[in-house]
Amino acid sequence: MGASMPLVGRSLAIFIVAIVMMSISIVTVLLRTFVRLNIIHAFGWDDALMVAALILFILLNACCMIGTMHGVGHTRTDFTSMEVYKKALVWWWLGQMLYIWASAVAKISIAVALLRLAIAKSYRVILWSIISVAIAIGLMFWLVLLLACNPIYYFWERVDETSTGTCIPMSTILDIAYFYSCVTICCDVALGLLPAFLVWKLQMNSRTKLAVGGILGLGAIAAVAVICRLPFLQFYPDENFLYSTYQIAIWSLIETGLGITAGSLITLRPLFRWLLDTNSTHNHKSPLQGKYSKPYRLSSLQSQAIRESQNTKYWRPDVDPDNNKSTIVAVSSQRKNKLSLSNSSQEALNPEPISPNHVTIQKTFVQTVTEGKK
């Protein structure tokens, strides 16, 4: 789809922010998915919701980028074609529809993740309340914007004097937007402060508590973007709507992108442990690893000849190898150092290091055949 308007000034700013926030969000969610599927082996509902939020966010960014190429960020006098102006309004309208649910689903994902750490009933009530409020306020604002004009397409067709329809007064939409933003800030702040109380009573040192609480509290960063957006809501009823509201578009993208990124970062601690464990194994690799990758008895490490030998005198000196009335029986058990989780969505805060290596324990005993007397 070719660009109908030049990417300059405010339209270029929206385009760049969309590219940057979308790229960061994709990387963090992909890392989160890798951790959950390949390291933790526990892909839960919070992960599925975050993937859904990312998909919605990608669609939102696509609408913003295509919209800027059709005039979002330009003044009305910059448009030389009424059809191009209508297309710009269509992409703006689609973008605000997607923004509401991308932001809401990201908040719900973070709340569901915190539910796995909340033991006290009061904390669970707070988290479920946040989830309910996020769904309710998102659905309300979405319906308001969806049904703001009757028929719906009159939102972008009203620039044509020949079209007919009605729309809710902009002052009403503005009041609802302020209310939505205030509730969103409260939800983000609650999601940022609650982790501090959740980790306070955990059995870990103060430094670990501070690190875990800080990581879990990253979700509150999205509230900063909402606060920064508040002063620009007043430009919503402006005649140069697409030009005056570019800050609303930018801060909405930053808010949703930060929420998705922060919500994914809180799950990446196992990735750093996995990388450190892999590097440690690689850097301190034993000379016997790789060269002798096949199983062998620890007591037969004296020489290559002994290692290849199956003669029991090297590893069971108490047994006479010439005694044909005795049989050596070996029982092996293998133990893998693998993280075990009772809940498919549970991630231990301090799990044991994950290692691809395993140890085989072999026990042997002598079975003697005794001839019975007739």
Side-chain angles (χ1 to χ4, degrees):
M1 183 181 294
S4 301
M5 299 288 287
L7 283 174
V8 293
R10 298 185 175 187
S11 61
L12 180 60
I14 298 173
F15 188 89
I16 293 175
V17 171
I19 289 288
V20 172
M21 297 310 301
M22 182 175 63
S23 301
I24 295 174
S25 299
I26 290 174
V27 170
T28 54
V29 174
L30 286 178
L31 290 175
R32 175 191 183 125
T33 304
F34 173 78
V35 169
R36 293 297 192 171
L37 292 178
N38 296 279
I39 299 179
I40 301 298
H41 301 288
F43 194 85
W45 279 107
D46 54 330
D47 306 302
L49 288 169
M50 193 58 77
V51 171
L54 176 64
I55 294 173
L56 292 170
F57 188 54
I58 292 174
L59 294 176
L60 166 60
N61 284 277
C63 289
C64 289
M65 289 185 288
I66 297 174
T68 55
M69 291 187 293
H70 284 86
V72 175
H74 287 268
T75 62
R76 189 164 183 174
T77 56
D78 292 336
F79 290 89
T80 56
S81 170
M82 184 64 67
E83 292 302 317
V84 175
Y85 188 51
K86 289 180 181 179
K87 287 182 178 179
L89 290 173
V90 169
W91 290 114
W92 172 271
W93 183 85
L94 287 174
Q96 67 181 4
M97 295 290 106
L98 290 167
Y99 153 73
I100 294 172
W101 288 118
S103 177
V105 174
K107 289 178 178 59
I108 294 171
S109 173
I110 296 174
V112 172
L114 294 178
L115 274 172
R116 295 187 280 109
L117 301 177
I119 300 176
K121 183 178 179 180
S122 58
Y123 296 151
R124 299 185 68 83
V125 170
I126 293 174
L127 288 170
W128 279 115
S129 299
I130 293 174
I131 293 173
S132 302
V133 169
I135 295 174
I137 195 69
L139 182 61
M140 181 202 70
F141 196 37
W142 181 75
L143 289 174
V144 168
L145 295 178
L146 177 66
L147 305 175
C149 293
N150 183 27
I152 293 175
Y153 58 80
Y154 186 66
F155 178 87
W156 54 87
E157 289 290 341
R158 58 185 171 179
V159 296
D160 189 349
E161 295 180 355
T162 61
S163 62
T164 58
T166 58
C167 289
I168 298 175
M170 280 294 180
S171 59
T172 302
I173 296 178
L174 185 59
D175 292 338
I176 296 174
Y178 276 117
F179 175 72
Y180 170 82
S181 297
C182 292
V183 175
T184 299
I185 292 172
C186 293
C187 290
D188 290 336
V189 171
L191 289 175
L193 295 179
L194 193 60
F197 298 96
L198 293 177
V199 302
W200 183 255
K201 294 184 179 180
L202 294 180
Q203 295 181 353
M204 57 179 66
N205 57 52
S206 300
R207 182 181 299 178
T208 305
K209 284 184 180 180
L210 183 62
V212 173
I215 293 173
L216 294 175
L218 288 175
I221 296 178
V224 178
V226 183
I227 295 173
C228 293
R229 187 183 61 197
L230 279 175
F232 302 101
L233 292 179
Q234 60 179 320
F235 299 113
Y236 203 90
D238 195 84
E239 182 180 354
N240 283 319
F241 171 76
L242 297 176
Y243 178 79
S244 302
T245 58
Y246 86 105
Q247 289 280 13
I248 297 177
I250 287 177
W251 287 110
S252 296
L253 292 173
I254 293 175
E255 173 207 346
T256 310
L258 286 177
I260 293 174
T261 301
S264 298
L265 286 177
I266 64 177
T267 66
L268 299 186
R269 292 182 70 238
L271 177 64
F272 298 108
R273 290 193 298 267
W274 178 78
L275 290 174
L276 289 174
D277 181 73
T278 303
N279 292 336
S280 175
T281 302
H282 176 75
N283 294 334
H284 300 88
K285 191 172 183 180
S286 170
L288 295 176
Q289 292 179 343
K291 184 177 181 181
Y292 307 118
S293 58
K294 64 180 181 179
Y296 53 85
R297 300 176 182 88
L298 294 178
S299 58
S300 63
L301 298 179
Q302 301 163 358
S303 67
Q304 178 67 24
I306 295 177
R307 192 163 37 247
E308 299 295 335
S309 174
Q310 296 299 318
N311 195 326
T312 58
K313 72 178 182 179
Y314 296 113
W315 46 280
R316 282 300 300 267
D318 59 313
V319 177
D320 182 5
D322 298 325
N323 185 2
N324 57 10
K325 294 184 179 181
S326 299
T327 304
I328 302 296
V329 180
V331 178
S332 299
S333 61
Q334 189 178 94
R335 178 187 176 94
K336 289 186 178 180
N337 190 5
K338 181 179 179 182
L339 182 62
S340 176
L341 300 172
S342 58
N343 188 325
S344 62
S345 180
Q346 182 69 36
E347 176 195 347
L349 289 176
N350 289 298
E352 297 178 359
I354 300 174
S355 172
N357 301 322
H358 63 267
V359 176
T360 300
I361 301 174
Q362 186 177 77
K363 299 179 181 179
T364 62
F365 58 92
V366 181
Q367 183 179 23
T368 304
V369 179
T370 305
E371 296 181 357
K373 296 181 179 179
K374 295 184 179 180

